[in-house]
Amino acid sequence: MNKHLTAVLGLPPLPATLRYDGTPLSKIRQKAVCDALQMYEVGIRDIIIQNIGDLPLLQKVGIETTTAMTMLSAAVRDALPSDCSLGISVLMNDGAAAFAIAHAVGADYIRAKIYVGAMVGASGIEYGCMDEVLCLKQKLNSPVRIWADVHDRTGTPLGNPSLTDACEHALYKGLADVLIITGKNFDESLAMLSSVKAAFPNATVYLGGGAKPDNLQRCVQYSDGVIVGSYLKQNGVMHLPLDNQRMGEFMNAWRATGERE
């Protein structure tokens, strides 16, 4: 089976957030579309839109963020050819907002950073969004798929549930289509991926971060797909612009793995 490659399109700070600098949404939209097409041109066929520039990252965002991301996501969806999939992730963990945006603009899936259980993060206890997402999916009778991060590296699981228990909840109670695993470092990520694939051999499991040209062979050995973000940016910093040389290096390494999806 061919492995799957997904890239993160990170938005700059949006209106009403701490670092928003007054840039008109029309210019943010133009930049988002250009970034998406730049990714497409190098061979990427799956893109997740995330509001990575926003601070604070809220459990539930305001209507201003949902509205802005809907407008931006619709522009990206309209600009991309139909063979490119699109995902929506509203940080920190507003799965319902992401699902509503994805359904409205014709995106393919959402990424929920905390889908089941609860995590202790920088702002305190952050609760899973499973019930809200499933209720909205039923209400809208929507085909939008659910990609669920499990034991995301940005927090610590509350109650110390095992990784396999959390994955079981996401798959069988939360009806997740894809599990996303990301450890505190690359070696931990591979160990976590290995244990999840052993416990759930028929599940689709993606590496959520840390992919680089020199470790892609190991990535595809342990996972069904890879999500890349920071490496494609200047100096490997997520908030900086895309770097054509780094994108070329990454895509050459990806093709060298023999994967084409």
Side-chain angles (χ1 to χ4, degrees):
M1 182 181 86
N2 282 349
K3 304 301 175 78
H4 194 80
L5 176 63
T6 302
V8 176
L9 193 164
L11 298 173
L14 298 176
T17 61
L18 184 65
R19 293 177 176 169
Y20 177 60
D21 61 4
T23 301
L25 274 175
S26 59
K27 289 190 176 180
I28 295 176
R29 178 181 61 200
Q30 182 180 22
K31 181 64 165 57
V33 168
C34 288
D35 283 355
L37 293 176
Q38 194 174 352
M39 290 176 175
Y40 185 87
E41 286 299 315
V42 300
I44 293 167
R45 294 296 181 267
D46 189 355
I47 295 170
I48 300 176
I49 297 176
Q50 285 187 332
N51 55 324
I52 62 166
D54 289 353
L55 282 178
L57 294 175
L58 302 174
Q59 274 256 81
K60 306 297 177 189
V61 299
I63 192 171
E64 66 281 356
T65 299
T66 304
T67 303
M69 287 193 68
T70 301
M71 184 267 278
L72 299 169
S73 300
V76 170
R77 177 67 281 175
D78 289 345
L80 286 169
S82 60
D83 66 337
C84 188
S85 298
L86 186 67
I88 308 294
S89 179
V90 180
L91 303 174
M92 176 63 186
N93 189 46
D94 201 331
F99 199 95
I101 294 167
H103 182 78
V105 307
D108 300 278
Y109 62 90
I110 67 162
R111 178 179 184 180
K113 296 290 285 183
I114 305 168
Y115 190 56
V116 296
M119 305 281 283
V120 179
S123 61
I125 298 175
E126 299 160 351
Y127 295 96
C129 59
M130 178 187 79
D131 289 350
E132 292 177 299
V133 169
L134 291 180
C135 286
L136 193 54
K137 183 177 177 66
Q138 180 186 32
K139 185 184 296 184
L140 295 171
N141 189 27
S142 178
V144 172
R145 302 171 77 236
I146 300 165
W147 292 18
D149 281 85
V150 180
H151 286 193
D152 181 68
R153 62 183 171 183
T154 59
T156 302
L158 189 64
N160 199 31
S162 71
L163 177 61
T164 52
D165 282 350
C167 287
E168 183 176 10
H169 292 161
L171 288 169
Y172 302 122
K173 294 182 179 179
L175 307 180
D177 300 286
V178 172
L179 302 176
I180 302 173
I181 305 296
T182 316
K184 302 293 185 184
N185 54 60
F186 185 70
D187 287 338
E188 183 179 80
S189 293
L190 294 191
M192 293 169 68
L193 285 165
S194 179
S195 67
V196 171
K197 287 300 292 183
F200 308 100
N202 295 320
T204 302
V205 186
Y206 289 179
L207 171 67
K212 300 177 182 180
D214 61 3
N215 66 23
L216 275 178
Q217 291 286 355
R218 297 175 71 197
C219 292
V220 299
Q221 179 182 353
Y222 288 91
S223 69
D224 300 303
V226 174
I227 299 173
V228 60
S230 298
Y231 189 84
L232 305 182
K233 300 300 190 74
Q234 292 176 8
N235 301 320
V237 178
M238 191 64 201
H239 296 285
L240 293 182
L242 290 168
D243 185 310
N244 281 325
Q245 180 175 342
R246 292 176 73 94
M247 285 200 296
E249 291 170 353
F250 189 91
M251 293 307 295
N252 286 339
W254 176 255
R255 295 183 183 101
T257 67
E259 309 301 340
R260 291 293 181 270
E261 188 180 349

